[in-house]
Amino acid sequence: MSRLDSYIRRMQAQKLCLDRAAQLIGTRPGPILELGFGNGRTYDHLRELFPGRKIYVFDRQINPHPDCVPPTDMVRLGDARETLPRFLEGAPEPAVLIHTDIGTGDKTASLRLAQDLAPTIARLLAPGGLVAGDQPLPDDGLEPLPLPEGVKVGRYHFYRRRA
Ligand SMILES: C[S@@+](CC[C@H](N)C(=O)[O-])C[C@H]1O[C@@H](n2cnc3c(N)ncnc32)[C@H](O)[C@@H]1O
């Protein structure tokens, strides 16, 4: 498969999973965490799906499109291995959804990063809260959910925090 095809399928999977998360969450309260802001494409989609919700943004650096600059007080800059546990220490309101899009070209490093972050991600979620992500998140507190129709197994990952 060409890199273009692979990219398109990843974007489709991402959108389908976020759309499905929005259906499942409905009006359940709670903030959203966006891990891997990049230039804010998925952040913008989350804003559209969840109007008026708090969306916290985590990245080493952000490069926002002018149409989707997040409020400064919602941005946590730095390595997520440091910013995420620090955020948790502040006893935040439990998240209803965490979206992780932290993959880089280095597959091994991306898997390792997700593995390192998984326990903190599980603790940041409200019971029943959802996580959709580009990497597997191995943690006993996270129950894998079926992927939306049209998303190939392994292309995206979808979990619910166990009660
Ligand atoms: C694929 S991009 C995210 C794309 C974004 N979701 C969008 O739609 O524009 C991956 C992002 O993960 C971030 N990232 C990778 N490793 C990270 C780490 N250890 N801590 C924080 N951010 C990281 C990168 O800086 C990059 O912006």
Side-chain angles (χ1 to χ4, degrees):
M1 186 191 305
S2 73
R3 286 182 54 213
L4 177 62
D5 279 328
S6 171
Y7 177 77
I8 289 168
R9 285 177 201 195
R10 192 168 74 80
M11 295 297 102
Q12 283 169 337
Q14 199 167 54
K15 177 179 153 42
L16 287 166
C17 287
L18 294 180
D19 291 353
R20 178 87 184 113
Q23 281 171 358
L24 292 173
I25 288 166
T27 56
R28 278 189 60 187
I32 294 169
L33 273 51
E34 167 79 325
L35 269 62
F37 176 87
N39 63 29
R41 243 188 327 248
T42 46
Y43 170 77
D44 195 35
H45 194 62
L46 287 168
R47 280 196 316 189
E48 217 173 87
L49 289 173
F50 297 94
R53 292 250 186 184
K54 281 187 197 165
I55 306 179
Y56 292 94
V57 163
F58 297 77
D59 206 311
R60 288 187 292 220
Q61 76 264 328
I62 64 169
N63 182 26
H65 184 280
D67 288 346
C68 49
V69 180
T72 316
D73 62 333
M74 300 303 281
V75 178
R76 303 292 184 272
L77 283 184
D79 191 313
R81 289 186 186 92
E82 292 166 16
T83 53
L84 217 54
R86 203 178 307 140
F87 185 74
L88 180 62
E89 275 171 25
E93 199 184 343
V96 71
L97 171 65
I98 300 180
H99 175 229
T100 69
D101 188 15
I102 47 173
T104 59
D106 185 337
K107 198 172 171 185
T108 307
S110 301
L111 284 169
R112 180 63 199 271
L113 175 62
Q115 196 180 337
D116 290 347
L117 296 179
T120 311
I121 287 172
R123 291 180 63 197
L124 281 162
L125 278 173
L130 303 178
V131 51
D134 67 332
Q135 309 293 326
L137 293 165
D139 189 273
D140 288 346
L142 298 175
E143 173 194 5
L145 289 179
L147 290 162
E149 204 183 319
V151 180
K152 199 175 144 200
V153 171
R155 195 170 291 285
Y156 230 67
H157 306 270
F158 202 29
Y159 304 89
R160 179 187 285 129
R161 158 86 196 267
R162 293 181 204 277

